Amino acid sequence: MPLNILKRPRRNRKSLAIRALNQETFLAPSDLIFPFFLLEGSNKKEPILSMPGVHRWSCDMLLFEIEELLETGVQSVMLFPVIDFSNKDSFGSYSLNHHNFLYKSIRNIKKSFPDLCVIGDMALDPYTDHGHDGILDPVSGEVLNDETVYVLGQKALMLAEAGIDIVAPSDMMDGRVQYIRSKLDQSGFTFVSIMSYSAKYASSFYSPFRDALGSHLSQGHKLGYQINPKNSLEAILECKLDEEEGADILMIKPAGYYLDILKEVRSRTQLPLAAYQVSGEYAMLNIAAQQGILNRDRALYESLICIKRAGASMIVSYAAKDVATLIRSGENPLEW
Ligand code: PBG
């Protein structure tokens, strides 16, 4: 004898077909951006121990990997150069060196794959011997804002000259979006977009990334420029300012523990939003899967679809290739 239950939402979940009709969020390979760690030289592919399945690549090897990536439907990559310690200094001057292999690599990648969207992260931390994202004041130990912004403006031009599609300032300096936009426009690069890391938190989840680049901090912390994880209003303000300064895409980072921020910003702007599933988020899921605690495919897919549900238009993820392959296989990882 059925009970007198008037509302039965389970009816909308009763079969695969009905669940599909009710599906609100979709994840496509073209929503994903694959971040790559780039080495100087040739014939190199080095595993990163704290990020199972992720490698550092020399450009020649990366071209083969990009070819495979494109077959999965992913159309966008982000590049992080791994700089030899002998080329690092306290100013990050190698970032503006015309011999820097990053610029040559971008030219090669764009020559081989003109339709690929290539995004260049712009912070100075790969280049500084102290690991900070800008120039340090030798006395106070603080990162100098305007001096750093000036360097970022030069760097944006060099990236644009090399053929980058989108520059992505990840340093959290004040006013950098406006300055970069004006530098690009003055030199005729009006078509180069800015994906601003607008709400970038001072997170402990970046640690494996710093292993990958050898960019661990030699002193201090990043709380003087990255946002305090205890705050949300600051993140909303940063997004608003970056929009006013001319950003084309706003980014929230990390993603998984910051979905409230993503959702809030989604309701306040018409700009597309990117979310960065960072190295620590990737490492946790993968190491749990290696231990047999989680199903890797399902956990990675779920982690990304939840980021989309919260409001991301696009997601930067080290799992991009694997999840895109899964989506392409036609299987629904959440219907097992
Ligand atoms: C550089 C930068 C960082 C990440 C992306 N760009 C590290 C940091 O700010 O310390 C982290 C990405 C990741 O953890 O995957 N500013």
Side-chain angles (χ1 to χ4, degrees):
M1 184 52 189
L3 299 175
N4 186 23
I5 295 172
L6 291 180
K7 303 286 178 185
R8 291 184 184 270
R10 284 185 59 189
R11 278 194 288 265
N12 280 345
R13 300 178 207 135
K14 73 182 168 198
S15 70
L16 199 146
I18 291 177
R19 285 192 290 279
L21 289 175
N22 282 290
Q23 183 171 336
E24 297 171 34
T25 309
F26 295 84
L27 181 66
S30 56
D31 297 330
L32 302 173
I33 300 166
F34 201 143
F36 283 118
F37 300 109
L38 200 57
L39 290 167
E40 187 163 17
S42 57
N43 207 22
K44 293 184 195 160
K45 179 183 172 186
E46 297 175 0
I48 299 159
L49 296 180
S50 51
M51 299 174 73
V54 180
H55 297 85
R56 302 182 192 90
W57 307 83
S58 56
C59 188
D60 56 335
M61 300 287 278
L62 184 62
L63 294 179
F64 293 112
E65 178 67 3
I66 292 175
E67 205 167 325
E68 280 185 22
L69 184 69
L70 287 170
E71 278 163 27
T72 72
V74 176
Q75 302 172 26
S76 302
V77 301
M78 190 174 238
L79 299 177
F80 294 97
V82 184
I83 305 297
D84 194 84
F85 205 80
S86 63
N87 282 326
K88 298 191 186 194
D89 62 24
S90 67
F91 304 104
S93 22
Y94 193 65
S95 73
L96 298 185
N97 188 319
H98 283 280
H99 300 298
N100 179 348
F101 66 94
L102 173 66
Y103 303 115
K104 200 169 139 208
S105 305
I106 294 169
R107 285 193 177 90
N108 281 341
I109 293 168
K110 283 300 288 186
K111 201 165 131 213
S112 306
F113 306 103
D115 297 332
L116 180 76
C117 168
V118 182
I119 306 170
D121 183 282
M122 284 192 49
L124 294 183
D125 56 332
Y127 301 96
T128 54
D129 53 11
H130 41 68
H132 280 286
D133 295 31
I135 299 171
L136 279 191
D137 182 326
V139 183
S140 68
E142 274 302 315
V143 173
L144 294 166
N145 193 85
D146 298 17
E147 289 78 350
T148 301
V149 170
Y150 179 79
V151 175
L152 294 176
Q154 308 300 114
K155 184 153 186 224
L157 285 184
M158 292 177 71
L159 288 167
E161 278 157 13
I164 208 87
D165 295 286
I166 302 181
V167 293
S170 66
D171 47 281
M172 292 301 286
M173 297 300 115
D174 294 335
R176 89 277 208 216
V177 171
Q178 184 186 357
Y179 187 69
I180 290 168
R181 184 73 272 156
S182 70
K183 290 301 279 184
L184 289 171
D185 289 352
Q186 280 160 19
S187 297
F189 294 112
T190 50
F191 49 84
V192 173
S193 321
I194 301 180
M195 174 192 280
S196 178
Y197 288 68
S198 304
K200 179 170 179 183
Y201 280 88
S203 172
S204 55
F205 293 103
Y206 306 150
S207 189
F209 172 95
R210 294 179 191 166
D211 295 339
L213 284 194
S215 63
H216 283 283
L217 291 173
S218 66
Q219 60 184 100
H221 49 69
K222 297 194 174 183
L223 283 161
Y225 44 106
Q226 299 180 350
I227 303 176
N228 187 332
K230 295 166 183 159
N231 294 348
S232 55
L233 293 175
E234 272 183 62
I236 294 161
L237 174 65
E238 288 283 6
C239 289
K240 181 167 166 272
L241 293 176
D242 284 0
E243 176 164 4
E244 286 168 8
E245 290 181 30
D248 301 287
I249 300 167
L250 306 177
M251 190 200 283
I252 313 297
K253 176 185 171 187
Y257 287 97
Y258 295 82
L259 296 184
D260 56 329
I261 307 297
L262 192 55
K263 187 152 193 209
E264 184 67 34
V265 174
R266 181 63 290 162
S267 70
R268 291 171 186 253
T269 179
Q270 280 69 53
L271 288 181
L273 297 184
Y276 198 138
Q277 181 181 56
V278 300
S279 55
E281 297 178 78
Y282 175 87
M284 287 193 300
L285 289 169
N286 278 274
I287 290 163
Q290 275 183 343
Q291 302 277 322
I293 297 166
L294 294 177
N295 175 296
R296 183 176 190 268
D297 286 353
R298 286 178 215 148
L300 285 170
Y301 181 84
E302 182 179 339
S303 72
L304 296 183
I305 198 101
C306 290
I307 294 167
K308 272 216 86 182
R309 191 198 62 230
S313 323
M314 62 199 91
I315 308 172
V316 185
S317 171
Y318 302 96
K321 184 182 175 195
D322 292 346
V323 172
T325 306
L326 195 67
I327 296 169
R328 271 286 157 106
S329 75
E331 257 178 68
N332 183 341
L334 296 182
E335 290 278 2
W336 66 89

